[in-house]
Amino acid sequence: MTEPVGKDAPEVPAEFMVRAENVHKSFGRVEVLKGIDLQVRPGEVMCIVGPSGSGKSTFLRCINHLEKINGGRLWVNGKLIGYREKNGKLYELKDREVAEQRREIGMVFQRFNLFPHMTALENVMEAPLRVKRRSRSEARARAEELLDQVGLGGKTGNYPSQLSGGQQQRVAIARALAMDPALMLFDEPTSALDPELVGEVLTVMQQLAADGMTMVVVTHEMGFAREVGDSLVFMDGGVVVEEGTPSEVLANPSHPRTREFFSKVL
């Protein structure tokens, strides 16, 4: 994306871990994001809800440049994501530079995406070994610590096929944490799980929130949003329809579309 602007991109105030400014994204002729403006402060848990096709997951993927935006700006931890600005124009960063930015952003997907030929321990060790060039002993110690943190200290030698869906997703969370991210993104992390396994994953996420991790969570779990979220965003049709505290938005939504949505899911 090369986009002329009137002046250089402003510095982002330090109080924002994520700042989205007029973010647009299209796939061909279909405009999926139609100007998203959001801010997430350090330590905040933002939950994003809305119907399927509203742009929630696309926006999440734009935050770490898995999807390239067509307009606007996205900053994480004060850095313009995916681009540099020079003489009033945006120029896309090289793959190596984008990969460097992604080190600060952990992401957990709907599907677990674990390496099937690696044990739980090896899955968590892989990125620190290859990307951060940590020693094997250091990566192993940290992986063991993280697997213990997500309640899987006794499963380090198990392969993904030997783990339940909930256990695999907790390995995926530990794997993301192994890179010591400043921000964690969760894209409907419980949607692929059997109902009885959802709680074990949400418990791990709740503990991360209590420990002060900044999180942006696309979810259908309204109980989690109510109990753990600091802010709640309702998206529909590629725009932010309503945002506020979970108690405000869930108990007294101001927009008719928000009221209609919650009347069907609560």
Side-chain angles (χ1 to χ4, degrees):
M1 178 179 70
T2 302
E3 175 184 312
V5 294
K7 58 182 179 178
D8 287 349
E11 291 297 319
V12 177
E15 66 263 27
F16 297 124
M17 177 63 72
V18 179
R19 181 179 171 187
E21 184 179 280
N22 196 30
V23 171
H24 288 257
K25 173 63 183 177
S26 297
F27 295 101
R29 296 183 178 181
V30 179
E31 191 176 20
V32 179
L33 300 178
K34 303 175 182 178
I36 302 297
D37 294 293
L38 285 174
Q39 296 84 37
V40 183
R41 296 181 183 277
E44 179 179 344
V45 178
M46 173 179 283
C47 295
I48 303 178
V49 302
S52 297
S54 58
K56 309 183 301 296
S57 294
T58 297
F59 175 65
L60 208 66
R61 292 171 64 85
C62 288
I63 293 177
N64 63 1
H65 205 60
L66 287 176
E67 297 290 353
K68 301 175 183 179
I69 63 176
N70 301 118
R73 306 286 189 278
L74 266 168
W75 293 267
V76 172
N77 215 7
K79 299 174 185 175
L80 186 63
I81 294 297
Y83 302 93
R84 70 165 52 87
E85 189 159 359
K86 184 177 181 181
N87 298 325
K89 292 184 179 181
L90 292 180
Y91 297 91
E92 189 165 359
L93 297 178
K94 296 177 181 179
D95 289 347
R96 173 181 53 79
E97 295 170 306
V98 173
E100 184 71 27
Q101 290 186 331
R102 287 195 186 121
R103 293 186 186 187
E104 293 192 26
I105 309 169
M107 187 161 186
V108 178
F109 300 88
Q110 298 178 35
R111 297 291 175 177
F112 323 123
N113 298 329
L114 299 178
F115 296 114
H117 62 289
M118 293 183 178
T119 65
L121 185 69
E122 290 167 340
N123 265 280
V124 179
M125 289 174 60
E126 182 71 2
L129 283 172
R130 291 185 176 272
V131 179
K132 289 205 165 184
R133 303 296 183 185
R134 289 180 175 166
S135 68
R136 181 162 290 275
S137 60
E138 183 184 5
R140 183 184 182 92
R142 178 62 173 151
E144 289 175 342
E145 176 187 336
L146 287 169
L147 286 169
D148 189 57
Q149 181 181 329
V150 300
L152 294 173
K155 301 289 186 180
T156 58
N158 288 57
Y159 290 90
S161 62
Q162 298 171 316
L163 300 172
S164 70
Q167 290 170 334
Q168 290 184 63
Q169 192 62 297
R170 284 185 281 157
V171 173
I173 293 172
R175 180 180 60 182
L177 292 172
M179 291 295 287
D180 301 316
L183 168 70
M184 285 285 286
L185 308 176
F186 292 86
D187 186 9
E188 300 190 28
T190 61
S191 64
L193 301 178
D194 292 334
E196 65 267 23
L197 302 177
V198 168
E200 62 191 52
V201 174
L202 295 181
T203 296
V204 170
M205 294 171 62
Q206 186 168 7
Q207 186 57 54
L208 286 178
D211 292 341
M213 176 61 72
T214 310
M215 299 160 59
V216 182
V217 185
V218 170
T219 185
H220 292 297
E221 300 294 336
M222 298 303 167
F224 176 85
R226 180 185 289 109
E227 296 169 19
V228 182
D230 297 301
S231 56
L232 181 62
V233 172
F234 174 67
M235 286 182 62
D236 189 29
V239 300
V240 173
V241 176
E242 188 164 351
E243 62 180 306
T245 66
S247 58
E248 290 170 348
V249 177
L250 290 170
N252 190 31
S254 61
H255 196 282
R257 181 65 184 97
T258 315
R259 290 197 293 271
E260 178 189 12
F261 178 79
F262 287 138
S263 72
K264 296 175 181 178
V265 301
L266 294 178

